[in-house]
Amino acid sequence: MQILLASNNEKKAAELAEILAPIGAKILKLSNVASYEEPIENGKTFADNALIKARAGAAHTDLITIADDSGLVVDELNGCPGVLSARWSGKHGDDEANKNLLLGQMEHVPDERRQAAFVCVCAVVFPNGEEAVVEGRWDGQLLRKPQGDNGFGYDPIFLPAEEFPNGRSSAELSAAEKNSLSHRRKALDQLVPLLMKG
């Protein structure tokens, strides 16, 4: 079984290959298939964006296609940054600016109201038009200042529930620890039975 991951992210591809190894799936990245114009991710939700990417991949390659969208949701900010996580400060992918803006917005919020979660939504689209969407959440809360150098994005200011109250940030966990707990892992694990049926 060949499955397209609508991404060129090596880490995501390796993680997906590991999870789907029991069903003998071969994971292809975008660079492994004939190129096509990637769609604009203009959805209002993680599910919207994941489906936009997965539908485009399935339509252009006739392969089962998986895509994901993820970000940080903060209760105190009504679920923001959410789908805007990567460009919260205005410029896409400026981790430092995004982190500092969020810390500034949360500066006066007491500890008991700093709940947050990383959310990952995975969509799978089959060539026959069948679709499924699954969600993984990694609950925790926001720290007041960055801790740790591993990871990226908001990892240094996210204290996982498993480390509460005085433990390590997501950026202080090893890659193996993070992968076993993460929102993406929780979402991808749910895809296995769907793909076995498909």
Side-chain angles (χ1 to χ4, degrees):
M1 180 195 297
Q2 289 194 323
I3 296 174
L4 174 65
L5 174 65
S7 167
N8 274 317
N9 186 307
E10 293 286 351
K11 287 184 178 174
K12 282 187 193 178
E15 190 174 14
L16 185 57
E18 179 196 326
I19 291 167
L20 297 183
I23 62 172
K26 180 180 181 193
I27 306 304
L28 303 174
K29 301 188 300 294
L30 288 175
S31 57
N32 302 129
V33 298
S35 64
Y36 61 88
E37 190 173 337
E38 290 185 52
I40 296 168
E41 294 177 51
N42 57 3
K44 287 175 69 173
T45 66
F46 295 127
D48 289 343
N49 285 337
L51 278 166
I52 286 169
K53 292 183 280 189
R55 285 171 180 157
H60 284 90
T61 65
D62 213 31
L63 292 168
I64 298 170
T65 302
I66 292 171
D68 79 305
D69 195 35
S70 57
L72 183 72
V73 298
V74 179
D75 292 3
E76 186 74 6
L77 300 178
N78 295 316
C80 289
V83 292
L84 302 174
S85 292
R87 52 186 184 279
W88 189 233
S89 63
K91 186 178 167 202
H92 193 281
D94 189 339
D95 287 354
E96 207 60 30
N98 290 337
K99 214 166 39 199
N100 290 336
L101 175 59
L102 183 58
L103 284 174
Q105 290 166 323
M106 294 289 291
E107 185 177 356
H108 301 295
V109 176
D111 289 348
E112 63 270 18
R113 297 210 320 262
R114 297 178 71 85
Q115 292 85 2
F118 278 122
V119 174
C120 176
V121 173
C122 285
V124 58
V125 175
F126 295 87
N128 67 3
E130 277 186 54
E131 299 178 344
V133 174
V134 296
E135 179 182 296
R137 283 179 65 92
W138 190 14
D139 290 304
Q141 72 175 55
L142 291 181
L143 294 163
R144 295 195 174 274
K145 60 181 194 294
Q147 295 177 194
D149 300 316
N150 302 334
F152 58 92
Y154 299 98
D155 282 339
I157 60 170
F158 180 74
L159 178 70
E162 294 85 356
E163 292 285 328
F164 190 80
N166 299 310
R168 298 167 298 168
S169 76
S170 175
E172 293 175 298
L173 302 178
S174 70
E177 286 175 309
K178 185 181 168 187
N179 287 345
S180 71
L181 298 169
S182 80
H183 48 309
R184 181 170 294 108
R185 180 70 191 230
K186 289 171 182 169
L188 290 175
D189 280 344
Q190 296 173 61
L191 289 180
V192 177
L194 299 174
L195 293 164
M196 286 175 76
K197 278 194 309 192

